[in-house]
């Protein structure tokens, strides 16, 4: 079918309207979720490569009763600024859950939350985290924040200050999605980073014997800078074996466990997920 220029334009305009409508709809649902306790967290176990034991978790955000995933609603929340109160809710809920597990007699384990670049403008975030940790008597080193490289590309002076302030409190910092985008190794030398999380794409290439030198170099470099290395998106046993052999410290992925609601984590909290 041939379209005239005018039809193309009308089609384009209609697409724009659809995209906009969807954004408005997501924004509405986020507003509702903020007001009516409509968010929940799922926790994905992280295992120690050497033992297969669960040594920590990553908290991931979900909307109650709606199958819209964060890859769709986080960008909207960033655009509207809703990410600021949402991000605080995620942090507060994570700390509350850590205290709840501890109060059930389980040992504290580190839990990571994701911070998006927009949250770096949340001036009060440090104080908020510090107060929540104090309130629930959780030592700060059990809270980890994950930031992506894109955060580091934005405004370097402010970012460094922001991260240094988190470190001063005792919160640990992980560099997320490493190996995507513009990996600059320079960041690793001047930012207060304790952990590198290798992106799924890198773990996948490694399985196919691609990027083997890159992987080994990152692991060696990370270790020489006293950083821990976590591989993400590990789905296959062979991947686990190879990454373990290469000296990767921790792993996370469907091979071990999907992200789970807190009540499903409790019974497996101290488990070994692979051997
Ligand atoms: P991410 O931080 O890189 O999180 C890892 C994502 O990979 C999660 O998707 C997780 O469910 C998924 N995943 C874990 N293991 C596997 C695997 O073996 N195979 C595959 N294919 N996927 C795996 P999820 O939960 O949909 O989150 C997507 C992204 O949304 C996250 O990527 C993160 O960037 C963002 N996000 C999630 N929760 C939050 C939050 O509370 N705050 C902020 N700012 N961003 C969040
Ligand atoms: Ca993450
Ligand atoms: Ca990631
Ligand atoms: Ca990601």
């Amino acid at each position: 079918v041939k379209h005239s220029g005018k039809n193309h334009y009308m089609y384009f305009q209609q697409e724009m309207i659809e995209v906009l409508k969807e954004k408005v709809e997501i924004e509405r649902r986020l507003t509702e979720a903020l007001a009516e306790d409509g968010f929940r967290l799922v926790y994905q176990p992280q295992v120690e490569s050497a033992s297969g034991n669960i040594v920590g978790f990553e908290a991931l955000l979900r909307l109650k009763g709606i199958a819209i995933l964060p890859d769709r609603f986080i960008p909207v929340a960033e655009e509207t600024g809703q990410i600021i109160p949402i991000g605080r809710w995620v942090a507060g809920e994570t700390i509350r859950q850590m205290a709840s597990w501890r109060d059930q007699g389980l040992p504290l384990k580190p839990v990571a939350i994701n911070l998006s670049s927009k949250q770096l403008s949340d001036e009060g975030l440090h104080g908020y985290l510090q107060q929540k940790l104090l309130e629930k008597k959780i030592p700060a080193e059990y809270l980890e924040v994950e930031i992506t490289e894109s955060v580091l590309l934005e405004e370097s002076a402010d970012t460094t200050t922001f991260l240094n302030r988190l470190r001063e409190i005792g919160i640990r910092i992980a560099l997320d999605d490493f190996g995507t985008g513009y990996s600059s190794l320079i960041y690793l030398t001047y930012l207060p980073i304790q952990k590198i999380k290798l992106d799924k794409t890198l773990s996948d290439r490694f399985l196919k014997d691609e990027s083997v030198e890159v992987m080994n170099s990152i692991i060696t470099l990370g270790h020489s800078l006293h950083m821990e290395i976590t591989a993400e998106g590990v789905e296959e046993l062979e991947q686990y074996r190879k990454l373990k052999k290469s000296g990767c410290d921790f792993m996370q992925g469907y091979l071990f466990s999907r992200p789970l609601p807190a009540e499903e984590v409790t019974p497996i909290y101290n488990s070994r997920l692979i051997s």
Side-chain angles (χ1 to χ4, degrees), residues 44 58-62 69-71 74 83 90 114-116 119 146 176-177 200 232-235 252-255 259:
Q44 187 172 37
E58 177 178 1
L60 294 156
L61 188 59
R62 296 291 180 267
L69 285 168
D71 281 334
I74 294 287
I83 194 66
V90 168
N114 291 282
L115 282 196
S116 80
Q119 291 175 267
E146 298 189 357
D176 204 357
D177 299 352
K200 182 178 192 315
E232 283 194 294
V234 177
E235 296 180 349
Q252 191 181 336
Y254 296 164
L255 174 67

Side-chain angles (χ1 to χ4, degrees), residues 103-121:
D103 295 346
Q104 293 172 63
L106 297 168
L108 278 175
K109 290 185 182 180
V111 183
I113 57 173
N114 291 282
L115 282 196
S116 80
S117 58
K118 295 289 172 304
Q119 291 175 267
L120 268 61
S121 63

Side-chain angles (χ1 to χ4, degrees), residues 30-82:
L30 294 176
T31 305
E32 208 174 86
L34 273 169
E36 295 164 21
D37 191 28
F39 290 109
R40 63 188 186 96
L41 292 178
V42 285
Y43 300 86
Q44 187 172 37
Q46 299 176 330
V47 305
E48 181 183 52
S49 308
S51 64
N53 291 330
I54 296 179
V55 290
F57 303 91
E58 177 178 1
L60 294 156
L61 188 59
R62 296 291 180 267
L63 275 162
K64 281 184 189 167
I66 310 164
I68 308 174
L69 285 168
D71 281 334
R72 261 174 78 208
F73 69 74
I74 294 287
V76 177
E78 287 174 342
E79 216 176 300
T80 61
Q82 288 165 306

Side-chain angles (χ1 to χ4, degrees), residues 228-248:
E228 296 171 334
I229 315 285
T230 301
E232 283 194 294
V234 177
E235 296 180 349
E236 313 211 20
L237 188 61
E238 187 57 22
Q239 224 168 358
Y240 164 70
R241 294 207 179 110
K242 286 178 76 171
L243 284 162
K244 181 175 167 177
K245 223 168 119 190
S246 296
C248 176

